[in-house]
Amino acid sequence: MGDEKASRTANIFDVARLAGVSHQTVSRVLNNMPNVRPATRARVEQAIAQLRYSPSPAARALVTRRTRTIGLVTPGTVDYGPSSIAMNFNFAARAARYNVDAISSPQNDVAAVRSAIDGLLKQRVDAIVLIVIDTEVLAAVQALEIDVPIVAAATSSRPHPRLVAIDQYRGARAAVRHLLESGYSTVRHIAGPARNPDAVERLRGWREEVASARAQSTPPVHGDWSAASGYRIASEADIAPGEGIFVANDHMAIGVLSALRERGLRVPEDVGVVGFDDVPEAPFVYPSLTTVRQDFAALGEILMQKVLLMVEEPDTVSESTPLPTRLVVRDSAPLRP
């Protein structure tokens, strides 16, 4: 009888009947609540095992007020950084036995992001994570007050308890420093979109490293992260031998390499190029691309740790130290003796 029930319709009342207790007692055992005698707990656990009972997520949520679901708001872009963050956060959430309910929203629309958050709150998510690629959206997120924990993957010059980030600023400074140490006298910057937080910090790092070294530079030009924009900018710019180019991401840098080759400028003999991200294609372009690597797997794990801390200990306030980057030296800007 017990095996037949286990294979068909075992529920909390079946467990209670077999253990000789109330269904409220079974619920307390399932949720590790106090005030259950050890002998009673053992009987309930034995009944659960015998019936192979597994509580439904909905039933558990009624008791714990948690759904073990996290809402994820993504920017709706296929760009390497945001998509890598989303993928690795999903991996980390799954490892922690949480589900992820993801919604994409327009990249630069504060109202749309707020609407996405409202939609997730109606699904009774335990927390909300956002991947933010716009400075106005970032400001709105930092000021937002809702009833569940909210965490953003976003870069800022100012630490904030809701933010988890990779250190774009120091990564940019390392890229510029490498170009200068490799003998390039001028370092120009092809920047990302003006309202993108990562691009803002990489621009700040370039500017301050150039100033610190008292090196020559040219005014930055903004691209849109695509190889086409990098190609266009490098085709139109007045680039001379002896210059280094710090490009705000690898895809734009790939476009830059193509434009320089068409112009007859040799890389790295005439011009050095450093990108940012270390996309999978970076070692295989010609010449192979020197770049700044970001650890998106570690970022996904830290995002999940931050969520768990805020869910389990809501009164805890902590600021996360930005994750370091690593310069990967390849043929487009080798270290010269």
Side-chain angles (χ1 to χ4, degrees):
M1 179 69 176
D3 289 341
E4 180 184 356
K5 187 170 289 184
S7 65
R8 295 189 292 104
T9 58
N11 57 43
I12 195 170
F13 299 102
D14 297 323
V15 175
R17 192 177 301 113
L18 184 60
V21 298
S22 69
H23 71 275
Q24 291 94 336
T25 298
V26 175
S27 179
R28 284 196 292 271
V29 171
L30 287 169
N31 292 285
N32 293 318
M33 296 175 122
N35 302 324
V36 179
R37 294 178 181 176
T40 302
R41 185 181 297 275
R43 284 207 317 277
V44 171
E45 290 174 347
Q46 183 178 359
I48 289 170
Q50 183 176 335
L51 294 173
R52 299 195 295 276
Y53 169 66
S54 177
S56 70
R60 185 175 290 277
L62 288 174
V63 178
T64 63
R65 297 185 180 275
R66 294 180 187 168
T67 61
R68 296 195 72 82
T69 300
I70 300 167
L72 174 64
V73 182
T74 68
T77 175
V78 295
D79 289 339
Y80 181 73
S83 60
S84 296
I85 296 170
M87 179 182 69
N88 283 285
F89 175 73
N90 270 276
F91 292 159
R94 191 180 310 157
R97 298 182 180 179
Y98 272 75
N99 298 314
V100 177
D101 190 353
I103 295 180
S104 296
S105 67
Q107 299 182 27
N108 306 322
D109 190 334
V110 173
V113 171
R114 286 176 174 163
S115 177
I117 292 171
D118 289 341
L120 290 168
L121 291 174
K122 291 176 182 177
Q123 302 301 316
R124 299 185 64 246
V125 295
D126 295 339
I128 289 177
V129 171
L130 300 99
I131 300 171
V132 179
I133 62 169
D134 181 83
T135 51
E136 290 189 10
V137 171
L138 178 57
V141 168
Q142 289 175 308
L144 198 59
E145 295 296 335
I146 59 176
D147 293 333
V148 302
I150 182 168
V151 182
T155 305
S156 174
S157 60
R158 297 180 180 180
H160 191 281
R162 287 181 175 173
L163 301 186
V164 176
I166 295 175
D167 199 336
Q168 313 294 324
Y169 169 76
R170 286 183 173 80
R173 292 198 67 157
V176 175
R177 190 179 312 119
H178 174 76
L179 285 166
L180 292 171
E181 290 175 350
S182 296
Y184 300 103
S185 58
T186 299
V187 178
R188 69 171 63 230
H189 183 40
I190 298 178
R195 282 176 44 177
N196 183 285
D198 287 352
V200 169
E201 284 300 287
R202 293 171 198 172
L203 175 61
R204 184 169 73 94
W206 164 78
R207 183 175 285 122
E208 294 192 9
E209 186 64 30
V210 165
S212 176
R214 297 182 179 179
Q216 296 178 345
S217 65
T218 59
V221 180
H222 292 273
D224 63 8
W225 295 136
S226 70
S229 70
Y231 175 86
R232 174 184 54 79
I233 292 168
S235 296
E236 297 172 353
D238 185 18
I239 300 171
E243 291 189 15
I245 307 175
F246 168 46
V247 191
N249 81 330
D250 286 351
H251 285 123
M252 290 196 299
I254 290 170
V256 168
L257 291 176
S258 180
L260 293 176
R261 187 162 52 249
E262 288 186 5
R263 295 178 61 171
L265 289 167
R266 299 170 302 164
V267 178
E269 293 85 355
D270 298 328
V271 178
V273 178
V274 177
F276 209 108
D277 281 337
D278 198 22
V279 299
E281 302 91 337
F284 304 107
V285 298
Y286 181 79
S288 58
L289 183 62
T290 296
T291 185
V292 178
R293 178 178 295 167
Q294 304 192 73
D295 192 342
F296 292 115
L299 183 64
E301 292 174 2
I302 291 177
L303 271 171
M304 191 62 209
Q305 291 171 10
K306 186 85 162 180
V307 168
L308 290 174
L309 180 64
M310 295 177 77
V311 168
E312 300 293 339
E313 300 181 35
D315 295 330
T316 301
V317 177
S318 65
E319 294 177 354
S320 301
T321 301
L323 288 169
T325 57
R326 183 166 74 86
L327 183 71
V328 180
V329 179
R330 298 193 181 102
D331 294 339
S332 68
L335 185 59
R336 296 177 177 177

